[in-house]
Amino acid sequence: MGQLFGTDGIRGIANTELTPELALGLGRAVVRTLREEGKPRPRVTVGRDPRASGDMLEAALIAGMTSAGGDVRPLGVVPTPGVAYLTSYLTADSGAVISASHNPVGDNGIKFFGPDGFKLTDAEEERVEELLQRTYEDRPVGAAIGRLLSVERPAAPYIDHLVNVAGETRLDSLRVVLDCANGAASTVAPEVMQRLGAVVHCINAEPDGANINASCGSTHPEAVSAAVRDIGADVGLSFDGDADRLIAVDSSGTVVDGDTILAILAATLQDRQGLTTVVTTVMTNLGFKLGMQERGIEVIETKVGDRHVLEAMRAGGHRLGGEQSGHLIMTDYATTGDGVLSAVRLLTTMAESGQDLSDLAKVMRRMPQVLINVRGVDRSRLADSERLWEAVAAEEAALGDAGRVLVRASGTEPIVRVMVEADTEERADTTAQRLADVVGRELGGR
């Protein structure tokens, strides 16, 4: 893996770590990579979320692409999964999205898709990084310089696709609150739901460049929960800034997280199409696994991160996967997580079954889960800390089949995460606190 690309593209503080100079160089490197692969004049789609730095980074990225001889279709503000879909739909050679997903407005990121709409592989990202160092090579002139290709209503085919996912099912009976996180969902989700017949009430759907994810969206479900209770809606749907995640709330305002939504979709696919497997991460709630076990659905675990989930899905031919955060992937319809698509599938399940979301959510019983982030520790010593792992083994033995323990290092911060699930909230909390104390003592944080 290279130095720039992380598990989900390149991220950083816009104009400090993720600079326009870097974006320009990345644009050139991606187009040069495509040209070396036999595309004499590559075509690239570029989309973004509405955060303030998006204009600056979009201009720089496109300048780099056109300066290397690539033709660019700017998509404007569109969800990340929309860029993936449109890259394939428009038969582009690559796609790029400028977004920091659920992160604060000061952050931004750039990630790329191949012509099939899937994220670049590690090897492809490393090739881009290699070419990024060759700044002054191969500069086209005259007519060989790339151009901007206009697209009228660029998101329209993606919106049509999302509507078509519902098939013949209508949502006429459903009153829905949409929390668009003042992000890219604002351009897509309301129209999709209205075309399907839902009675739609939108909140946080007026992005101004500075308010993306600000006390709203999937990381703040209390906002949509309050709105659902206030207007007496049937369901609330909360997206993140680039609309690749979904968290829902039922008619009482109770949060239904990604694990539960995934369980609902898995049960529905099993009943209708004989689904036998589902892919999740090690952070997935134990209640999900037990619920799937009762149904005879095999649960395949990966490391944390939607990239790992998708890799396992593609390698094993699995159709459904996701994370507790609400990043859900359905390869029958998409090449990446898609919050609006997940919302369509969830609402059509409600409409077709005639059940409230609270009833559907009973497909799994969520186990109490406590997560403690132990900060300021030397995470590199985690694997070799015998006393810590002895303590973990002792706590696991005490919990037995009624819970589990997961201790892992953060991939980006000096943090060790302690997660405990148990049959009661009190037991989960006290167990997690004991282990967090051990982590602090053994790894130098306390």
Side-chain angles (χ1 to χ4, degrees), residues 243-379:
D244 64 356
R245 297 185 182 190
L246 170 71
I247 297 294
V249 300
D250 65 21
S251 58
S252 70
T254 301
V255 173
V256 178
D257 70 4
D259 284 346
T260 307
I261 297 172
L262 187 63
I264 292 169
L265 298 179
T268 302
L269 277 174
Q270 183 192 45
D271 291 342
R272 297 178 184 176
Q273 299 178 27
L275 182 80
T276 59
T277 61
V278 62
V279 180
T280 64
T281 76
V282 293
M283 291 297 290
T284 295
N285 191 272
L286 179 59
F288 175 89
K289 299 172 187 175
L290 296 175
M292 295 299 98
Q293 182 178 329
E294 289 176 4
R295 283 184 152 263
I297 297 176
E298 179 186 1
V299 177
I300 297 159
E301 284 191 352
T302 74
K303 293 187 292 185
V304 174
D306 65 283
R307 184 187 191 114
H308 301 300
V309 172
L310 183 57
E311 286 174 354
M313 291 175 68
R314 297 186 73 184
H318 309 294
R319 301 166 57 193
L320 181 66
E323 296 186 283
Q324 193 176 89
S325 63
H327 201 126
L328 309 175
I329 305 172
M330 290 167 274
T331 53
D332 288 347
Y333 307 106
T335 58
T336 187
D338 190 327
V340 184
L341 188 154
S342 299
V344 171
R345 292 303 306 145
L346 182 63
L347 294 188
T348 54
T349 298
M350 290 176 61
E352 291 164 359
S353 68
Q355 296 185 53
D356 294 334
L357 183 54
S358 58
D359 293 326
L360 291 172
K362 293 174 182 176
V363 69
M364 65 168 274
R365 183 177 74 85
R366 183 174 178 79
M367 299 283 284
Q369 185 182 82
V370 173
L371 175 66
I372 298 178
N373 292 324
V374 187
R375 300 180 180 275
V377 295
D378 184 356
R379 60 184 177 177

Side-chain angles (χ1 to χ4, degrees), residues 28 31-32 35-36 67-69 134-140:
R28 285 183 52 80
V31 169
R32 286 208 305 268
R35 291 179 62 187
E36 290 188 1
S67 76
R134 290 158 44 184
T135 308
Y136 296 103
E137 293 183 15
D138 185 24
R139 290 185 176 271

